[in-house]
């Protein structure tokens, strides 16, 4: 067995702890989930429903794909993540409402729309590279917030088009902060059954900022409705979306909810994945050099163009391997609508199934050297025959992440732009402690030494 202490920053706990539930909840996932098909979650609190942690691809396929319509989202996750701004979005909708919303938002993520966004990806990545060029030689930069900034710029342009210029991004980012930074509390309260009317630290700031966000986005939608002309951005597509069967269009609450969801889900996740990727490449200089050489061979010294993105295969594999080791979403939760059999298990209505992406990605039976970093695992040759649910950074089945291709394109462009211009190395003495908030973050950031090439 190989040892990668930096890449396995904790040991699964024998007994679940409240502290872990509030900081890094994966610590409470039992070690069997990395060896066996499933594990039973032990409750920290007696009122927690029975929870089955699934880490076998075939069982996961049953839940997410074959019997998908028999499950709804996990109500604890919904309680922790939903608020007055986002609760009517495609992310939280269920049944027929979800189906229509998913149909309505899908055109915004079609291949041709994404291709048209590549110049925006290139331009935003290039602006960040320019900024870093002016940093002092060998500056230490925390790449986690830097990645959030660049992916936020991108999603803003994708959603609002030219309107992104007038958008007060600083105020928006300040307003989402209280919600994001208290998610761990809300998860904890939800999971241990604290009633939702009881405040948690920071609750009043969350309420204020959610009000502000709701008003700001409602005004934005109203302004756009009043303005003339068609817009090719995501907001424009949502405004013109019409259900082909019923003719239904989105009301203002649904529009605001989806805008907010795209703005958050569309930048936090990709930023997290990019941060971990740069950190892993700093850890593995050989792979970093291979990414750089691939870009040199395929792109040389000219600007990146749309056609390059599909050709830089190792760069893409690096992102895939990074999301295997550090998936931005550690898992997805599901609750059966009625009693159901999954493999040999009977899951009753009211109980929970957690699809433990983190454990599947480090499962002893699925991967050689599961905790080691090796982008070649995602070469066509090596990936051949791998179960479709053995790798789940974006989930699977009908509710698979709608922004998957958007994110892969965007991240490939950003990674290529940064790696060709800078060398990344680890800061001695910095150690990783994981924090499971909205996404899987490093508690003390991802500071790296960055030197221009
Ligand atoms: C690396 C980046 C990303 C990761 C790792 C990621 C991951 C995920 C995961 C795991 C799910 C849940 C699937 C489930 O519950 O079964 C999801 C759903 C979703 N994601 Fe992403 N996501 C990323 C980027 C994006 C982007 C860029 C957008 C939008 C611009 C987006 C929008 C959504 C939406 C709207 C859903 C809900 C889909 C539904 O319920 O039908 N995501 N994502």
């Amino acid at each position: 067995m190989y040892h990668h202490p930096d890449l396995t920053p904790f040991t699964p706990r024998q007994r679940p702890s409240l502290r872990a539930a509030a900081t890094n909840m994966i610590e409470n996932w039992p070690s069997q989930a990395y060896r066996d098909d499933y594990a039973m979650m032990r409750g920290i609190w007696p009122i927690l429903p029975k929870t089955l942690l699934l880490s076998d691809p075939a069982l996961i396929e049953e839940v997410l794909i074959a019997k998908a319509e028999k499950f709804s989202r996990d109500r604890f996750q919904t309680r922790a993540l939903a608020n007055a701004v986002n609760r009517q979005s495609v992310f939280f909708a269920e049944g027929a409402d979800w189906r229509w919303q998913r149909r309505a938002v899908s055109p915004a993520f079609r291949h041709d729309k994404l291709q048209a966004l590549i110049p925006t990806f290139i331009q935003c990545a290039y602006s960040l590279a320019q900024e870093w060029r002016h940093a002092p030689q060998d500056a230490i930069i925390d790449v986690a917030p830097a990645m959030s900034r660049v992916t936020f710029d991108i999603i803003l342009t994708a959603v609002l088009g030219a309107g992104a210029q007038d958008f007060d991004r600083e105020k928006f980012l300040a307003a989402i902060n209280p919600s994001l930074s208290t998610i761990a509390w809300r998860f904890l309260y939800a999971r241990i059954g604290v009633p939702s009317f009881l405040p948690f630290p920071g609750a009043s700031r969350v309420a204020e900022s959610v009000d502000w966000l709701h008003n700001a986005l409602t005004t934005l939608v109203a302004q756009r409705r009043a303005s003339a002309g068609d817009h090719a951005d995501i907001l424009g597509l949502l405004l013109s979306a019409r259900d082909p069967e019923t003719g239904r269009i989105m009301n203002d609450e649904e529009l605001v909810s989806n805008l907010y969801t795209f703005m958050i889900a569309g930048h936090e996740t990709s930023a997290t994945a990019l941060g971990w990727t740069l950190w892993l490449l700093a850890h593995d200089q050989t792979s970093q050099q291979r990414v750089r050489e691939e870009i040199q061979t395929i792109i040389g010294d000219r600007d990146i163009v749309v056609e390059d993105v599909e050709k830089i295969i190792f760069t893409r594999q690096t992102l895939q391997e990074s999301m295997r080791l550090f998936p931005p979403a550690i898992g997805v939760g599901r609750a059966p609508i009625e009693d159901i059999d999954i493999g040999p298990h009977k899951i009753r209505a009211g109980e929970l199934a957690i699809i433990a992406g983190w454990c599947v990605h480090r499962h002893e039976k699925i991967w050689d050297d599961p905790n080691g970093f090796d982008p070649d695992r995602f070469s066509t040759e090596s990936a051949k025959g791998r179960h479709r649910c053995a790798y789940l950074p974006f989930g699977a089945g009908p509710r698979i992440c709608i922004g998957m291709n958007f994110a892969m394109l965007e991240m490939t462009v950003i990674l290529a732009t940064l790696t060709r211009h800078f060398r990344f190395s680890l800061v001695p003495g910095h150690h990783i402690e994981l924090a499971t908030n909205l996404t899987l973050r490093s508690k003390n950031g991802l500071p790296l030494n960055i030197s221009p090439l």
Side-chain angles (χ1 to χ4, degrees):
M1 200 59 182
Y2 308 85
H3 289 284
H4 303 282
D6 297 342
L7 305 187
T8 42
F10 67 89
T11 314
R13 306 179 68 87
Q14 298 290 343
R15 303 182 139 276
S17 95
L18 266 183
R19 192 199 53 78
T23 52
N24 173 20
M25 63 172 97
I26 337 173
E27 279 182 35
N28 285 342
W29 292 1
S31 54
Q32 298 95 283
Y34 301 81
R35 294 192 299 267
D36 301 339
D37 293 351
Y38 72 97
M40 292 310 298
M41 280 278 285
R42 297 180 53 178
I44 307 168
W45 212 252
I47 59 171
L48 241 200
K50 205 167 120 192
T51 302
L52 189 65
L53 202 63
L54 296 175
S55 52
D56 171 58
L59 294 178
I60 292 173
E61 185 175 19
E62 267 192 72
V63 175
L64 291 184
I65 303 173
K67 298 177 180 165
E69 79 284 3
K70 303 276 189 216
F71 288 86
S72 67
R73 279 199 184 287
D74 153 9
R75 63 187 178 283
F76 296 103
Q77 199 184 7
T78 301
R79 182 176 151 188
L81 300 180
N83 60 35
V85 197
N86 65 14
R87 74 165 50 103
Q88 297 207 38
S89 71
V90 62
F91 196 96
F92 295 110
E94 299 285 356
D97 185 28
W98 168 76
R99 262 189 299 282
W100 119 258
Q101 285 223 30
R102 180 97 189 188
R103 269 202 310 273
V105 300
S106 289
F109 297 94
R110 268 201 334 242
H111 186 69
D112 55 330
K113 295 277 184 269
L114 298 182
Q115 292 281 313
L117 279 169
I118 293 181
T120 302
F121 300 159
I122 295 173
Q123 199 212 324
C124 291
Y126 186 69
S127 302
L128 177 68
Q130 285 296 87
E131 193 187 303
W132 280 359
R133 280 220 164 272
H134 294 109
Q137 189 71 18
D138 294 329
I140 293 179
I141 294 180
D142 185 350
V143 295
M147 291 305 103
S148 290
R149 244 181 324 120
V150 64
T151 56
F152 187 63
D153 281 350
I154 287 176
I155 195 68
L156 211 53
T157 310
V159 169
L160 302 179
Q165 309 283 345
D166 308 323
F167 189 80
D168 191 339
R169 54 193 77 196
E170 297 312 321
K171 224 166 164 186
F172 182 87
L173 289 172
I176 60 176
N177 195 39
S179 289
L180 299 189
S181 61
T182 51
I183 280 175
W185 272 105
R186 280 177 284 136
F187 257 117
L188 179 66
Y189 270 31
R191 293 212 189 275
I192 64 177
V194 176
S196 30
F197 58 79
L198 279 186
F200 48 84
S204 61
R205 275 190 307 125
V206 173
E208 267 169 42
S209 56
V210 162
D211 270 355
W212 184 87
L213 285 162
H214 190 267
N215 289 339
L217 293 177
T218 308
T219 309
L220 199 82
V221 169
Q223 281 168 348
R224 179 63 78 82
R225 275 202 199 283
S227 75
D230 286 340
H231 295 261
D233 49 42
I234 293 180
L235 176 54
L237 287 165
L238 295 186
L239 276 163
S240 58
R242 187 175 289 275
D243 190 332
E245 284 163 27
T246 61
R248 180 178 158 188
I249 55 164
M250 277 201 188
N251 63 34
D252 282 4
E253 284 302 314
E254 289 166 336
L255 281 165
V256 164
S257 271
N258 280 305
L259 276 188
Y260 182 78
T261 297
F262 292 149
M263 283 157 98
I264 305 297
H267 93 280
E268 263 287 301
T269 43
S270 331
T272 301
L274 278 164
W276 285 117
T277 309
L278 292 176
W279 183 82
L280 285 160
L281 287 178
H283 193 272
D284 176 0
Q285 292 291 327
T286 310
S287 294
Q288 187 179 148
Q289 194 50 31
R290 269 180 74 186
V291 171
R292 205 168 283 121
E293 277 162 14
E294 175 178 77
I295 294 161
Q296 188 57 38
T297 309
I298 291 173
I299 309 176
D301 294 326
R302 63 169 169 76
D303 289 345
I304 301 182
V305 292
V306 174
E307 291 71 31
D308 294 325
V309 183
E310 275 166 23
K311 297 186 193 144
I312 44 177
I313 293 164
F314 187 74
T315 309
R316 191 183 170 89
Q317 285 173 209
T318 303
L319 286 160
Q320 290 171 308
E321 173 67 343
S322 156
M323 288 192 291
R324 183 185 69 83
L325 279 175
F326 294 100
I330 54 170
V332 297
R334 291 291 193 270
I337 299 167
E338 55 199 50
D339 296 359
I340 193 166
D341 292 324
I342 295 296
H345 308 283
K346 186 172 247 349
I347 312 182
R348 296 186 188 285
E351 296 176 349
L352 289 181
I354 294 183
I355 303 0
W358 168 278
C359 303
V360 181
H361 289 184
R362 291 174 181 245
H363 202 285
E364 289 174 13
K365 284 198 210 150
I366 304 176
W367 310 94
D368 289 334
D369 184 18
N371 299 313
F373 177 68
D374 175 10
D376 284 323
R377 294 179 207 271
F378 289 92
S379 67
T380 319
E381 200 49 38
S382 307
K384 212 181 276 167
R386 192 175 291 149
H387 195 290
R388 63 175 163 167
C389 289
Y391 179 66
L392 299 156
F394 296 103
R399 290 205 91 129
I400 195 167
C401 175
I402 202 164
M404 174 169 77
N405 295 330
F406 180 115
M408 284 311 296
L409 278 177
E410 158 194 48
M411 295 190 300
T412 309
V413 169
I414 296 173
L415 186 60
T417 308
L418 297 179
T419 317
R420 77 199 295 217
H421 291 300
F422 302 93
R423 173 167 294 114
F424 299 92
S425 42
L426 295 178
V427 172
H430 176 266
H431 295 289
I432 295 297
E433 258 187 83
L434 295 180
T436 46
N437 220 319
L438 177 63
T439 56
L440 179 67
R441 291 279 181 159
S442 153
K443 203 168 162 188
N444 49 2
L446 294 170
L448 294 180
N449 267 306
I450 301 186
S451 16
L453 291 167

